[in-house]
Amino acid sequence: MEVTHIQLWEKCLSIIKDNLSPEQFKSWFEPIRSLGYADGKLSLEVPSSYFVEHIEEHYLRLLAPVLKRVYGPDVQLFYKYDQIGNRPDTSINQRSENPSPAIRPGLPPANPFDVKIEATIDSQLNPRYTFENYCGSMSNKVARSIGETIGDDPNCKTFNPLFIIGPSGVGKTHLMHAIGIRLKERQPQMRVLYVTARLFESQYTVAAHNGKINDFINFYQSIDTLIIDDIQDLIGKEKTQNAFFHIFNHLHLNNKQIILSSDCPQSEMKGLPERMMTRFKWGMTVKLDRPDLELRREVLKLKAQHDGLTIGDDVLDYIAESVTGSIRELEGVMVSLMAHATILNLDITVDLARNVISNAVKVHNSQRAVNFEMVTQGVSTYYKINSDQLFTKSRKREISDARQMVMYMAKKYAKMPLTAIGTRLSRTHATVLYACRNIEERLPFEKQLQEDVAAIERMFTKEQTQA
């Protein structure tokens, strides 16, 4: 009796189910169904583009060997999803990890308000920022507990709005993404959106220029959970403030969750109208303090495990006691430590850590965050090309290599989600994922690539120090 494509996929599901928790399997694999298998090509129907990114980021290392085992070593995987919910005429076919130089028809445009309100939206969440890898201690216990409460129960609006305050590098952005990801895990069709205040302001400016302010506001009023990072960046932007005020009122009135972050308390945010400040205080305000010793040590241990490093307790203790500024500083020191140990073939010792810290921390103390514009400018300057060429469809080797470097740097240093990087460069998230992995895999073995990365890093450092 011939085995059908549905039976083959059910066999895959059986194997996958044995390797995941019931919650993970139910959320991310039960909704998938097989559309067909022919000529070595497997087509799976998924609910949305968000599913594709989440599966490729979190479960591809499990899924790929399972597919090869069931379908054979040459199987090719394609995802299919409706760009607009329950509208097959808007369906997209996307190949797993298949970099494409062109924009796929129907993919979300750069500004979300250009998408019809009934469309499934890209949440702009970074799949790496989860509660599972969010280290906890007394310095963030309250904030984490409230965040998990919101994420675990989408109907809970006790903490609405949630206002997170704290200095740069203490984990505000990670916590906000973790809440959004948990909400999407609980309710995959929920309209969750993460944006920075600067991006929000930029989108408003474009909408105003194009006469689409109503479309902009209507889109944002359709969100179920709106997450805006660095809300203090709206200070002085009066017209954008007015638009946000109306969006805030509508969402709150309709019992939609709002999550905001700032590097300073509401009382210090001079330049925002009192009516907005009052609304910020309606819900719950939590503060993330600079990481205590316990949290710093947990962050280091998790980073070492993630990077496959074996580091002695004496080294971890030395770094945790020496680097006290922020979690971002700790991660930067670990990256530098790994680079020195790998490139110079050295054991990771307290002496090596001391040398790395003496150079790294002095630099990081005066840094401001790297953004996408800094990345494109640095890469184009280093490779001596016009930055505009990075945004073209050119396949010339020098342009393609520089574009891959931009993707890698934007992901690593600007901490941008893959889809956000792809949107800026008119590429799919799969293209960005391929580029980042390509550079990460080549870096330990190619001296010239190591020198390129180091030189561009120094350009960031110079720009940050002068800022």
Side-chain angles (χ1 to χ4, degrees):
M1 181 177 179
E2 184 178 353
V3 179
T4 67
H5 70 90
I6 295 177
Q7 291 172 319
L8 289 172
W9 176 239
E10 287 176 348
K11 186 176 180 180
C12 291
L13 291 178
S14 177
I15 300 172
I16 293 169
K17 190 173 184 179
D18 290 338
N19 288 275
L20 294 177
S21 69
E23 293 78 14
Q24 288 175 314
F25 180 82
K26 184 175 182 180
S27 295
W28 299 106
F29 284 92
E30 272 194 1
I32 302 175
R33 68 185 186 93
S34 173
L35 296 178
Y37 175 68
D39 300 324
K41 297 179 179 179
L42 170 64
S43 180
L44 298 179
E45 184 181 63
V46 297
S48 67
S49 61
Y50 178 80
F51 257 70
V52 176
E53 178 166 354
H54 193 85
I55 290 170
E56 294 275 302
E57 281 287 312
H58 288 272
Y59 301 115
L60 193 60
R61 291 188 178 181
L62 169 62
L63 181 60
V66 171
L67 294 181
K68 290 180 180 179
R69 175 178 170 183
V70 174
Y71 296 93
D74 299 322
V75 62
Q76 298 178 47
L77 173 60
F78 291 83
Y79 302 99
K80 183 175 182 180
Y81 54 88
D82 294 343
Q83 188 61 32
I84 298 178
N86 301 317
R87 284 272 305 276
D89 58 308
T90 66
S91 65
I92 298 292
N93 283 296
Q94 181 175 325
R95 182 174 177 176
S96 173
E97 286 199 281
N98 180 31
S100 169
I103 303 175
R104 293 179 182 275
L107 284 180
N111 290 326
F113 53 85
D114 285 337
V115 182
K116 292 187 181 299
I117 286 180
E118 66 268 22
T120 299
I121 66 169
D122 180 353
S123 294
Q124 299 294 315
L125 296 168
N126 188 330
R128 289 186 173 83
Y129 290 164
T130 66
F131 280 116
E132 286 69 27
N133 59 21
Y134 187 78
C135 298
S137 75
M138 290 303 296
S139 64
N140 63 12
K141 184 176 182 179
V142 174
R144 175 178 179 145
S145 177
I146 292 174
E148 287 188 305
T149 299
I150 295 172
D152 288 333
D153 184 3
N155 295 317
C156 174
K157 296 298 185 291
T158 305
F159 312 107
N160 190 27
L162 176 64
F163 199 95
I164 306 170
I165 60 175
S168 177
V170 296
K172 300 189 299 296
T173 299
H174 189 150
L175 178 60
M176 298 171 85
H177 281 269
I179 296 171
I181 289 170
R182 181 67 61 84
L183 286 168
K184 291 291 289 185
E185 288 174 347
R186 297 293 184 265
Q187 292 189 8
Q189 298 307 314
M190 177 177 281
R191 293 170 64 81
V192 178
L193 180 65
Y194 166 90
V195 292
T196 64
R198 288 189 178 184
L199 179 57
F200 181 89
E201 194 271 334
S202 175
Q203 291 171 350
Y204 172 82
T205 301
V206 173
H209 178 76
N210 294 330
K212 293 186 175 182
I213 291 179
N214 287 338
D215 293 340
F216 172 85
I217 292 177
N218 288 339
F219 169 81
Y220 272 95
Q221 288 181 342
S222 75
I223 302 300
D224 296 316
T225 297
L226 178 60
I227 305 171
I228 299 188
D229 211 349
D230 293 321
I231 195 68
Q232 75 278 355
D233 287 340
L234 292 188
I235 292 175
K237 308 294 194 309
E238 185 177 345
K239 292 182 179 179
T240 308
Q241 291 172 9
N242 289 335
F244 177 69
F245 178 78
H246 293 300
I247 292 167
F248 184 104
N249 283 344
H250 178 89
L251 294 179
H252 197 274
L253 183 65
N254 287 276
N255 213 28
K256 305 299 185 180
Q257 182 68 50
I258 303 165
I259 303 172
L260 308 170
S261 82
S262 172
D263 59 8
C264 60
Q266 297 97 317
S267 59
E268 297 178 11
M269 297 175 67
K270 309 300 182 183
L272 287 179
E274 184 61 28
R275 61 177 185 171
M276 191 177 295
M277 302 292 290
T278 301
R279 281 159 176 76
F280 289 169
K281 299 175 184 177
W282 278 355
M284 180 72 185
T285 298
V286 293
K287 183 180 180 182
L288 288 176
D289 294 315
R290 294 198 179 277
D292 55 24
L293 181 61
E294 177 190 359
L295 179 56
R296 297 198 298 271
R297 203 175 191 286
E298 285 301 310
V299 168
L300 292 170
K301 286 175 63 177
L302 184 65
K303 180 68 176 172
Q305 292 171 2
H306 182 269
D307 293 335
L309 297 176
T310 301
I311 302 180
D313 288 342
D314 57 337
V315 179
L316 292 177
D317 288 338
Y318 177 80
I319 299 173
E321 291 170 359
S322 302
V323 184
T324 61
S326 70
I327 293 173
R328 194 169 295 143
E329 278 187 4
L330 290 168
E331 293 177 339
V333 167
M334 288 294 285
V335 170
S336 298
L337 195 63
M338 180 174 64
H340 281 74
T342 302
I343 296 171
L344 302 177
N345 195 26
L346 297 174
D347 293 330
I348 297 179
T349 63
V350 171
D351 286 338
L352 179 60
R354 184 180 294 111
N355 291 333
V356 168
I357 290 172
S358 65
N359 295 320
V361 175
K362 290 178 183 177
V363 172
H364 285 294
N365 283 338
S366 62
Q367 285 185 347
R368 63 183 174 87
V370 175
N371 57 38
F372 187 77
E373 286 68 29
M374 290 171 62
V375 170
T376 54
Q377 186 60 45
V379 171
S380 60
T381 299
Y382 179 75
Y383 286 112
K384 295 181 175 61
I385 62 173
N386 189 316
S387 61
D388 291 342
Q389 293 179 286
L390 296 169
F391 301 90
T392 67
K393 298 180 181 181
S394 173
R395 295 190 182 185
K396 291 182 178 179
R397 180 63 181 272
E398 62 271 21
I399 305 300
S400 178
D401 287 350
R403 190 183 296 119
Q404 284 201 355
M405 184 63 75
V406 167
M407 294 175 183
Y408 170 76
M409 291 286 184
K411 172 176 169 284
K412 182 176 180 181
Y413 295 99
K415 309 298 183 185
M416 293 175 63
L418 300 178
T419 47
I421 299 170
T423 296
R424 297 293 291 270
L425 292 168
S426 300
R427 302 298 191 275
T428 68
H429 86 278
T431 303
V432 181
L433 179 62
Y434 172 84
C436 294
R437 287 182 176 173
N438 179 44
I439 292 181
E440 288 168 354
E441 291 171 0
R442 291 166 50 203
L443 199 55
F445 310 104
E446 297 185 20
K447 185 176 180 180
Q448 182 59 54
L449 186 61
Q450 294 166 8
E451 293 176 353
D452 291 348
V453 170
I456 297 170
E457 286 175 346
R458 287 194 293 272
M459 296 174 73
F460 293 159
T461 301
K462 181 178 179 181
E463 182 172 346
Q464 289 170 320
T465 304
Q466 292 175 346

